[in-house]
Amino acid sequence: MSRGVLLVLSLLTSAAATRASAQLVDGKPIYELHCRECHGVRGVPPQNMQVKYDRIATFDAAFIKRRRDDSIVTILTRGKGKNMKSFKDKLTPDEMISVAMYVRELAHKAKP
Ligand code: HEC
């Protein structure tokens, strides 16, 4: 095999490995457990949370257009403002990636 082919093969394998590790955990149960209370089942914060946290975002198409998965992971690592707490002691990096992907999925679903 030529070196070029080997290089391509090894790039493909490492990309697949990265994806596989992010998929090891399902984002949905993590979201239900840690995020749903404030952000709502479908990414629309319940009325009482909107009243309590006036800065809380709805996860919709306009929201997600301005963010990439890694910026959601950054928020989860560092927290934001005084009410969006850091999850770095509660979630592993893989779990943060998975839940960020789930937030993206929610944002693409039609809102009521
Ligand atoms: C205690 C309520 C609460 C919980 C629990 C919570 N959040 Fe938040 N979240 C907030 C509030 C309030 C904001 C708005 C923060 C601000 O902009 O000041 C926010 C903002 C965000 C943002 C938008 C940040 C930005 O870029 O503007 C994302 C993404 C987010 N939360 C994801 C999550 C995820 C994922 C979880 C679960 C792992 C979670 N949140 C759990 C209250 C919560």
Side-chain angles (χ1 to χ4, degrees):
M1 243 185 283
S2 78
R3 284 189 53 172
V5 172
L6 279 178
L7 181 66
V8 169
L9 278 179
S10 72
L11 284 178
L12 285 177
T13 335
S14 66
T18 312
R19 225 176 302 124
S21 84
Q23 280 171 357
L24 272 180
V25 279
D26 182 4
K28 187 172 184 200
I30 303 172
Y31 183 90
E32 303 266 308
L33 186 64
H34 295 288
C35 324
R36 178 183 162 166
E37 182 193 351
C38 295
H39 287 285
V41 200
R42 301 178 59 197
V44 183
Q47 201 74 48
N48 60 332
M49 290 301 169
Q50 295 193 23
V51 170
K52 198 165 163 193
Y53 307 120
D54 59 343
R55 297 181 48 92
I56 200 163
T58 293
F59 301 144
D60 57 12
F63 168 85
I64 214 68
K65 224 167 75 185
R66 298 193 305 267
R67 285 164 188 85
R68 289 172 308 154
D69 284 352
D70 60 348
S71 65
I72 298 181
V73 171
T74 304
I75 299 284
L76 293 176
T77 310
R78 296 192 193 146
K80 186 173 184 201
K82 63 178 191 307
N83 299 310
M84 177 63 207
K85 301 264 185 283
S86 161
F87 279 85
K88 71 176 185 309
D89 298 330
K90 290 189 180 147
L91 301 177
T92 66
D94 272 0
E95 287 173 328
M96 288 188 197
I97 295 169
S98 302
V99 82
M101 283 162 44
Y102 185 70
V103 164
R104 179 167 294 266
E105 258 174 57
L106 283 179
H108 287 301
K109 284 188 185 142
K111 297 294 179 229

